[in-house]
Amino acid sequence: MSMFPIASYTVGAGGSYGVDLSSISQAYTHLQVRIFARSAGSIADHVRVSPLNDQTPTNYRCHYLYGNGTSALSGSNQTTAGQIGFLTSGIPYSTSQSNTFATYIVDILDYTNTSKYKTVKAIGGWDDNNVSGTNANVSLSSYVWMNTAAITSVTIASVNNPMVQGTRIDLYGITSSGITGA
Amino acid sequence: MVPIYTQTVGAGGVYGITFNNIPSTYNDLRIDISARSTSTETKLAALINGDTASNYSMTEVTAVGSGTPASARGSSNTYFLNFGSIAQNATANTFSSTTIYIPNYCGSAFKQIIIEGVGEANQTAAPSTLTAALWRNTSAINSIYITGQGFNLAQYSTFTLYGIKNA
């Protein structure tokens, strides 16, 4: 087996903005975060996944490719404070279809490698039978963290409002092989 | 998910990497690629079982960091994976992030391949892709070769092949 659960966080009654996961084991090669989330707020919201130890916007550059059922768009920006590590498709909110959560799979390859800047890649989104219109979408989003330091902690949190009970965040460590197969 | 093989490019770079003798004991394959090029060219190519004939096709949605994404379809290609590394002259220490999924790689159908990739290099114009590809061959996959399209892969580029078994 190569994919090992490191941490799991489930939002309870009362809601929560998310979690800071620190002291991440350096024993793995890659990290994967799996997110199942919904906002308690009344406006469209986003989840961000970012290294906890660096919240300087100029150390990041992000891009996105997404579709919302009407348009397909792509873009780039140097993130602003508080929006570092955006997952572009957002998450459902209070007036979205009930019992609907967004799903994301976030990969961070070579997170301990001190010869590389870290690229975070996320695929995911949500559909709610057109209740939320173009606020529901699917995306491939990414950013580079321009730091060769190993990632030892991450913040996974909503931006505008707390997330509801039932929201789940899982962090996995993925190992590599000692055999080349060459 | 089990790591089968990992290759890390050493100093001096390498033209390509090959995963040979892929065991047939899994159901699906996954390949994670973190790559950088030794030239200004960035697109990788991949071959299955050494097949260099026109047995591949791809449907792609691609973006370059702004504007309307593009979609293209290519048939009768001699490789798959038209994406995948960061240029030599891009911001230092940046590497692409690409994942390839090949479900049912030992099955008797043609092989469907899904690719998601991003090339973050602190630039406005950074590529991303969602690609569906097909290898029109019913043979089990026993080797995969990944190379730059006319360039070497740079030091610290990594390639890991995983086997995924169902319940």
Side-chain angles (χ1 to χ4, degrees):
Chain A
M1 185 169 98
S2 77
M3 191 163 165
F4 299 88
I6 298 175
S8 186
Y9 176 77
T10 301
V11 175
S16 169
Y17 275 93
V19 63
D20 295 334
L21 299 174
S22 58
S23 302
I24 295 174
S25 170
Q26 302 292 290
Y28 306 103
T29 304
H30 311 311
L31 294 176
Q32 186 173 94
V33 182
R34 296 189 166 214
I35 300 169
F36 184 73
R38 182 183 176 99
S39 172
S42 60
I43 59 173
D45 206 345
H46 292 272
V47 171
R48 57 187 180 92
V49 178
S50 58
L52 179 63
N53 50 321
D54 185 353
Q55 296 295 303
T56 305
T58 51
N59 290 341
Y60 298 83
R61 193 67 181 258
C62 76
H63 295 84
Y64 55 87
L65 163 62
Y66 83 94
N68 60 15
T70 297
S71 306
L73 293 169
S74 68
S76 162
N77 62 70
Q78 200 143 22
T79 55
T80 57
Q83 295 184 354
I84 292 170
F86 249 25
L87 301 181
T88 310
S89 294
I91 58 177
Y93 42 97
S94 62
T95 56
S96 300
Q97 171 70 56
S98 59
N99 300 312
T100 302
F101 289 70
T103 297
Y104 289 94
I105 298 176
V106 183
D107 285 310
I108 309 174
L109 302 186
D110 294 330
Y111 74 104
T112 66
N113 193 312
T114 55
S115 298
K116 293 180 167 181
Y117 288 168
K118 309 305 180 288
T119 292
V120 178
K121 169 169 61 78
I123 190 165
W126 53 291
D127 181 277
D128 74 344
N129 200 32
N130 206 31
V131 170
S132 300
T134 57
N135 284 322
N137 52 79
V138 60
S139 68
L140 173 63
S141 49
S142 60
Y143 68 83
V144 59
W145 178 43
M146 289 174 278
N147 194 315
T148 56
I151 292 177
T152 59
S153 58
V154 292
T155 290
I156 304 159
S158 53
V159 176
N160 297 315
N161 291 289
M163 294 181 282
V164 302
Q165 184 176 20
T167 292
R168 195 181 83 237
I169 296 165
D170 298 315
L171 176 67
Y172 297 88
I174 299 174
T175 59
S176 57
S177 173
I179 305 170
T180 66
Chain B
M1 189 166 83
V2 178
I4 303 173
Y5 300 127
T6 296
Q7 294 193 31
T8 301
V9 178
V14 66
Y15 191 71
I17 67 100
T18 305
F19 294 127
N20 284 314
N21 302 311
I22 297 173
S24 59
T25 50
Y26 304 100
N27 297 98
D28 309 326
L29 296 177
R30 165 177 162 156
I31 303 172
D32 284 335
I33 301 172
S34 173
R36 188 176 176 95
S37 168
T38 57
S39 83
T40 55
E41 299 298 323
T42 61
K43 293 184 178 180
L44 304 180
L47 302 177
I48 297 173
N49 293 2
D51 185 2
T52 57
S54 303
N55 293 323
Y56 306 90
S57 55
M58 291 180 284
T59 299
E60 305 167 288
V61 174
T62 57
V64 293
S66 64
T68 302
S71 186
R73 178 173 289 123
S75 56
S76 299
N77 300 127
T78 56
Y79 59 87
F80 77 95
L81 182 60
N82 197 31
F83 183 84
S85 69
I86 300 290
Q88 174 194 42
N89 57 346
T91 300
N93 304 313
T94 55
F95 289 72
S96 67
S97 177
T98 304
T99 301
I100 302 172
Y101 296 93
I102 311 177
N104 203 29
Y105 72 103
C106 291
S108 57
F110 289 169
K111 306 306 179 287
Q112 196 68 236
I113 303 158
I114 298 297
I115 303 163
E116 46 162 306
V118 299
E120 288 287 352
N122 191 30
Q123 297 165 320
T124 300
S128 57
T129 188
L130 293 168
T131 300
L134 181 70
W135 181 48
R136 297 187 309 282
N137 194 304
T138 57
S139 299
I141 294 176
N142 54 62
S143 73
I144 297 173
Y145 172 65
I146 302 172
T147 179
Q149 292 187 26
F151 58 86
N152 279 5
L153 304 163
Q155 185 181 21
Y156 306 123
S157 295
T158 59
F159 302 80
T160 299
L161 174 71
Y162 297 91
I164 301 169
K165 193 148 182 66
N166 60 12

